[in-house]
């Protein structure tokens, strides 16, 4: 499937939405197989542990590492990419944090295995003192910890299609989004330590995966809020997220936050790597293409109620989801139940943090009639999440990346739910 | 405040940065459309050593102006071992050369299975052919496929990427001469060089790709306008 979700057999770029994302893929493929495995697993565990009255038998002993209840089996959705794509199960999560083992993945060449003892970060180029840092040395610098979303800029490509599928879940549609608390050393600290030249304007960030992933990043981002992160949700970063250390660029497209980072080279011009020219650029209708379009604009998605959930009976439904923006904080989220004809402000759950997902909630009484749910984020700059038609107007139907248009869900009288673009 | 100024201030002990000073970075960021962190604490450079307590280095531990003194100096050999990037100005291109003919032979042996006989059959990325140079229909026509010939702004990128990442199962296995030859072959498949072309550092640097001037700065900047 191509960047716009069309089925083209000879195509590799899976981050925009793959053929495995529709009902057939979901149900006959991964989900069914996984479902069978899960129920077997759950049955075994429950059979072994469940007592008719848990107050009448001693409970299980504690373990050195905890595990989920055997009744809870959230899973990432894997696309069969040669590089690696997995999507976060939004519909099974609460609040804003993504458990580290459910964080989305988009690798270009697999997950490298790196020995932390031999890890080095090299910083060189336009600096007074080219330096090598071990992982332990990185950890000796003053630490920063902040909550930020990461989103692949190809996330949600299927929603941008003129004829999007209806039988698609928020995980399949927008699963290349996750939120973590990231801990590490501020890049400004490291760049001061090596004596960054004042006339350095860009730096190269290079990973030690088999893609040797490389991006050019403006120095301003280093002086603003970039970090070299080695911690995620309290523990060491997982191998899939860049163990032992990654670049983290809050609010910017995920690809630029280079994982497994091994080298930073300061320069006075960008490097024009493949993943900032051939990929991760945005064609425009006037025959030009945006380059270095790093910032993720405001976006929101409803995570409940959505396909494949079915509303059983009329009555109370909490409409809930995430909103986020790479430009600061979410100011407001509007929810519509009539396809955008009227909007009401949703409740924003604290904390509302910059460059982080914000959970929104909206109390709704479903009367059993067909409804058309939508959510619309507004950020602190006054940017209002656009409709797909608005984006197509300015960027054309074939543009790639930054698919942040309003998502809709049609609820039928029988309670079944299907995706509906805006 | 200019980047670097803070380190000078710090090295000379001329005051500690605070949230307000950090906000002065905002105008520089404006051009790139990236908002500064909204709370001063997040935007401020790291805690000064006085707040880092016992981790504050002594003057001896960082005699050359370093704040903390952690890490070791990288030698020329350390840098050379990793320094593989090629700039759009040709910086970093190694000695060596390769012809279209040699490149097509290597392509047939090592690339054809994933990129197809003419570079367009897949199953993976399409490397060729190119559209007429005045065509760039990608925004308006979702079925238009971008390739090296009609989308890549620099041939130097082709050298850089092929050397670092291809062939997929054996990344980093090609010699510099092989990479030059493959670059020649891929440009030939896109009708950008003749069949007898030979690529070396000067030739790769001097190729003007059809899409060279297509790329423009990101003009999205938040606010009410959809761009």
């Amino acid at each position: 499937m191509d960047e716009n979700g069309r089925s083209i057999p000879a195509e590799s770029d899976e981050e925009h939405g793959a053929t495995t994302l529709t009902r057939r893929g979901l149900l006959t493929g991964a989900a069914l197989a996984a479902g069978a495995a899960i129920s077997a697993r759950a049955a075994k565990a429950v059979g072994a542990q469940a007592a008719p009255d848990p107050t009448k038998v001693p409970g299980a002993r504690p373990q050195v590492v905890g595990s989920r209840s055997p009744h809870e089996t959230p899973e990432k959705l894997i696309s069969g990419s040669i590089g690696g794509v997995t999507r976060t199960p939004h519909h099974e999560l609460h609040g804003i944090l993504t458990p580290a083992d459910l964080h989305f993945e988009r690798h270009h060449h697999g997950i490298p295995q790196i020995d932390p003892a031999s890890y080095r970060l090299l910083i060189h180029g336009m600096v007074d003192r080219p330096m090598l840092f071990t992982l332990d040395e990185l950890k000796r610098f003053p630490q920063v910890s902040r909550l930020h979303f990461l989103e692949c800029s190809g996330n949600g490509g299927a929603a941008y299609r003129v004829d999007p599928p209806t039988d698609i879940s928020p995980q399949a549609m927008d699963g290349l989004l996750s939120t973590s608390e990231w801990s590490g050393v501020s890049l400004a600290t490291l760049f001061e330590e090596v004596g960054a030249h004042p006339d350095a304007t860009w730096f190269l960030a290079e990973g030690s995966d088999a893609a040797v992933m490389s991006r050019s990043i403006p120095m301003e981002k280093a002086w603003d809020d970039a970090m070299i992160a080695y911690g995620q949700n309290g523990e060491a970063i997982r191998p899939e997220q860049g163990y032992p250390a990654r670049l983290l660029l809050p609010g910017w497209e995920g690809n630029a936050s280079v994982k497994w980072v091994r080298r930073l080279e300061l320069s006075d011009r960008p490097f024009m790597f493949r993943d900032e020219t051939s990929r991760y650029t945005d064609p425009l209708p006037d025959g030009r293409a945006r380059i270095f379009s790093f910032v993720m604009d405001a976006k929101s998605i409803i995570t409940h109620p959505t396909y494949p959930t079915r509303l059983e009976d009329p009555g109370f439904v909490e409409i809930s989801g995430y909103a986020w923006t790479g430009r600061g904080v979410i100011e407001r989220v509007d929810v519509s139940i009539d396809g955008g004809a009227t909007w009401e402000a949703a409740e924003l759950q604290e904390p509302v943090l910059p460059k982080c997902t914000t959970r929104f909630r909206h109390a709704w009484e479903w009367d059993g009639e067909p409804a058309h749910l939508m959510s619309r984020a507004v950020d602190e700059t006054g940017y209002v999440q656009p409709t797909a038609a608005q984006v197509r107007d300015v960027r054309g139907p074939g543009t790639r990346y930054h698919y942040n248009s309003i998502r809709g869900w049609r609820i039928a009288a029988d309670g079944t739910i299907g995706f509906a673009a805006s | 405040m200019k980047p670097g100024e803070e380190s000078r201030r710090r090295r000379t002990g001329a005051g500690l940065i605070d949230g307000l000073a950090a906000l002065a970075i905002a105008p520089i960021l404006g051009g790139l459309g990236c908002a500064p962190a909204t709370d001063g604490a997040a935007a401020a450079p790291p805690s000064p050593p006085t707040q880092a307590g016992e981790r504050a280095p002594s003057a001896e531990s960082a005699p050359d102006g370093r704040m903390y003194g952690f890490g070791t100096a990288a030698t020329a050999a350390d840098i050379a071992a990793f320094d593989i990037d090629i700039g759009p100005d040709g910086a970093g291109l190694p000695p060596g050369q390769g012809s279209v003919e040699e490149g097509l032979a290597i392509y047939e042996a090592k690339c054809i299975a994933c990129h197809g006989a003419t570079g367009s059959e897949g199953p993976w990325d399409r490397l060729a052919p190119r559209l007429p140079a005045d065509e760039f229909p990608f925004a308006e026509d979702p079925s238009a496929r971008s390739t090296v010939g009609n989308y890549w702004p620099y041939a130097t990128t082709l050298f850089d990427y092929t050397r670092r990442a291809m062939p997929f199962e054996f990344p980093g296995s090609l010699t510099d001469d092989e990479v030059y030859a493959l670059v020649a072959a891929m440009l030939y498949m896109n009708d950008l060089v003749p069949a007898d072309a030979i690529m070396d550092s000067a030739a790769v640097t001097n190729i003007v790709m059809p899409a060279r001037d297509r790329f423009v700065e990101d003009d999205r900047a938040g606010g009410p306008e959809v761009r």
Side-chain angles (χ1 to χ4, degrees):
Chain A
M1 175 172 286
D2 80 348
E3 289 88 349
N4 296 279
R6 263 153 235 270
S7 286
I8 294 177
E11 187 51 57
S12 66
D13 209 346
E14 306 228 352
E15 61 207 10
H16 306 272
T19 42
T20 48
L21 297 187
T22 53
R23 187 201 303 267
R24 193 159 14 124
L26 271 175
L27 295 188
T28 60
L32 262 196
I38 289 160
S39 40
R41 222 162 63 211
K44 196 169 157 226
V46 174
Q49 288 167 12
D53 180 352
T55 68
K56 296 294 185 284
V57 290
R61 288 161 195 272
Q63 303 292 322
V64 289
V65 175
S67 57
R68 294 196 170 93
S69 159
H71 304 282
E72 300 296 328
T73 52
E75 291 193 340
K76 291 177 284 188
L77 183 64
I78 298 180
S79 298
S81 167
I82 194 167
V85 177
T86 67
R87 291 174 161 84
T88 292
H90 296 312
H91 58 295
E92 296 192 80
L93 303 181
H94 313 286
I96 55 173
L97 270 183
T98 311
D101 60 354
L102 297 174
H103 195 289
F104 85 86
E105 296 162 77
R106 176 32 172 143
H107 322 300
H108 282 254
H109 220 132
I111 304 159
Q113 302 300 315
I114 298 170
D115 176 3
S118 50
Y119 172 82
R120 298 285 183 282
L121 176 65
L122 169 65
I123 308 183
H124 71 115
M126 295 175 68
V127 300
D128 292 342
R129 297 171 293 277
M131 299 286 298
L132 284 167
F133 298 100
T134 65
L135 184 62
D136 285 343
E137 285 162 349
L138 290 177
K139 290 180 179 170
R140 289 179 70 188
F141 286 99
Q143 190 184 63
V144 291
S145 286
R146 278 185 268 122
L147 278 81
H148 290 298
F149 74 83
L150 264 184
E151 186 184 18
C152 174
S153 56
N155 195 29
Y160 195 63
R161 288 166 56 176
V162 178
D163 54 344
T166 57
D167 52 353
I168 182 166
S169 69
Q171 173 177 24
M173 176 79 75
D174 284 307
L176 302 178
L177 161 83
S178 301
T179 300
S180 302
E181 183 191 45
W182 301 99
S183 300
V185 48
S186 142
L187 201 47
T189 301
L190 294 177
F191 281 178
E192 299 216 323
E193 188 71 5
V194 299
H197 291 181
D199 42 353
T201 48
W202 294 81
F203 69 92
L204 162 168
E206 184 176 270
S208 44
D209 57 335
V212 205
M213 177 53 68
S214 327
R215 291 292 304 256
S216 307
I217 311 296
M219 283 295 286
E220 285 89 343
K221 189 64 174 169
W223 302 120
D224 181 16
D225 61 359
M227 69 163 101
I228 299 295
Y230 45 75
Q232 180 183 8
N233 296 346
E235 61 177 348
I237 282 190
R238 300 248 169 166
E240 312 89 80
Q241 305 313 327
Y243 182 83
R246 72 176 301 162
L247 180 64
L248 191 87
L249 305 175
W252 285 19
E253 64 185 8
N255 177 263
S257 285
V258 174
K259 291 176 284 197
W260 314 291
V261 64
R262 72 172 190 186
R263 181 163 78 100
L264 306 173
E265 178 180 349
L266 281 64
S267 174
D268 56 5
R269 50 118 174 86
F271 294 77
M272 298 298 178
F273 292 119
R274 180 258 186 176
D275 285 290
E276 57 201 20
T277 52
S278 169
R279 300 295 144 126
Y280 303 104
T281 51
D282 319 329
L284 299 169
D286 64 359
R288 300 177 306 158
R290 261 183 210 136
I291 190 167
F292 303 121
S293 49
F294 294 112
V295 181
M296 300 305 290
D297 275 321
K299 177 170 168 181
S300 67
I301 59 170
I302 293 172
T303 56
H304 179 82
T306 61
Y307 176 88
T309 298
R310 183 179 162 212
L311 297 182
E312 301 285 340
D313 310 298
F316 176 79
V317 177
E318 182 173 86
I319 299 170
S320 170
Y322 308 110
W324 64 98
T325 171
R327 298 188 194 277
V329 292
I330 287 295
E331 186 89 19
R332 201 177 79 226
V333 178
D334 299 324
V335 169
S336 175
I337 55 162
D338 53 15
T342 61
W343 298 90
E344 269 185 72
E347 192 186 314
L348 301 189
Q349 169 79 62
E350 294 289 334
V352 177
L353 298 169
K355 305 175 187 178
C356 186
T357 41
T358 295
R359 173 66 67 174
F360 66 87
R361 307 178 191 285
H362 186 66
W364 178 48
E365 202 68 35
W366 183 46
D367 57 8
E369 294 295 310
H372 188 172
L373 309 187
M374 287 182 170
S375 67
R376 181 176 73 181
V378 181
D379 75 13
E380 66 172 62
T381 72
Y383 179 88
V384 181
Q385 184 180 2
T387 62
Q390 276 178 297
V391 180
R392 257 182 241 119
D393 261 4
V394 291
R395 279 189 233 154
T399 198
R400 302 158 191 185
Y401 309 103
H402 297 282
Y403 303 112
N404 66 323
S405 57
I406 291 171
R407 276 89 170 108
W409 298 93
R410 275 184 200 282
I411 302 181
D414 66 358
T416 54
I417 306 177
F419 178 78
S422 51
Chain B
M1 184 183 62
K2 284 209 202 80
E5 204 168 285
E6 171 55 19
S7 52
R8 284 194 296 279
R9 268 155 44 105
R10 241 296 200 98
R11 275 183 237 147
T12 56
L16 304 171
I17 194 154
D18 57 20
L20 281 178
L23 288 178
I25 301 172
I28 306 171
L29 296 171
L32 281 155
C34 70
T38 45
D39 67 340
S47 325
T50 46
Q51 282 170 28
E54 76 243 314
R55 289 186 297 187
S58 66
E60 296 101 293
S61 73
D64 54 1
R66 287 188 281 157
M67 291 290 300
Y68 300 96
F70 309 145
T72 50
T75 64
D78 292 330
I79 296 171
F82 281 172
D83 193 5
I84 55 170
D85 53 279
I86 311 298
D89 46 8
L93 279 169
Q97 64 168 46
S99 68
V100 170
E101 198 185 335
E102 290 159 343
L104 289 174
I106 304 167
Y107 183 88
E108 207 169 314
K110 299 187 173 177
C111 321
I112 208 165
C114 292
H115 295 292
T118 69
S120 65
E121 297 84 357
W124 298 103
D125 300 33
R126 283 152 208 241
L127 309 178
R130 75 177 168 93
L131 302 161
D134 57 350
E135 285 185 30
F136 199 78
F138 309 105
E140 296 291 12
D141 178 3
S143 68
R145 312 309 309 154
S146 66
T147 65
V148 168
N150 57 35
Y151 204 90
W152 291 41
Y154 294 97
T156 49
T157 310
L158 202 50
F159 188 98
D160 178 282
Y161 182 75
T162 303
R163 188 171 67 165
R164 73 172 65 223
M166 289 294 138
F168 198 85
E169 319 94 306
F170 305 103
S173 64
L174 300 168
T175 66
D176 291 341
D177 285 345
E178 286 178 312
V179 178
Y180 277 120
L182 283 164
V183 169
M186 288 186 275
L187 294 173
Y188 171 72
M189 284 155 55
N190 280 287
D191 297 324
L192 291 169
V193 297
D196 59 357
I198 292 176
M199 283 292 129
D200 60 13
S201 64
V204 171
T205 308
N206 289 335
I207 296 274
V208 178
M209 298 292 276
R212 164 79 56 101
D213 296 324
R214 299 257 181 210
F215 292 86
V216 293
E217 203 182 312
D218 182 12
D219 62 348
R220 297 170 309 143
E225 197 183 338
V226 177
R227 289 183 179 170

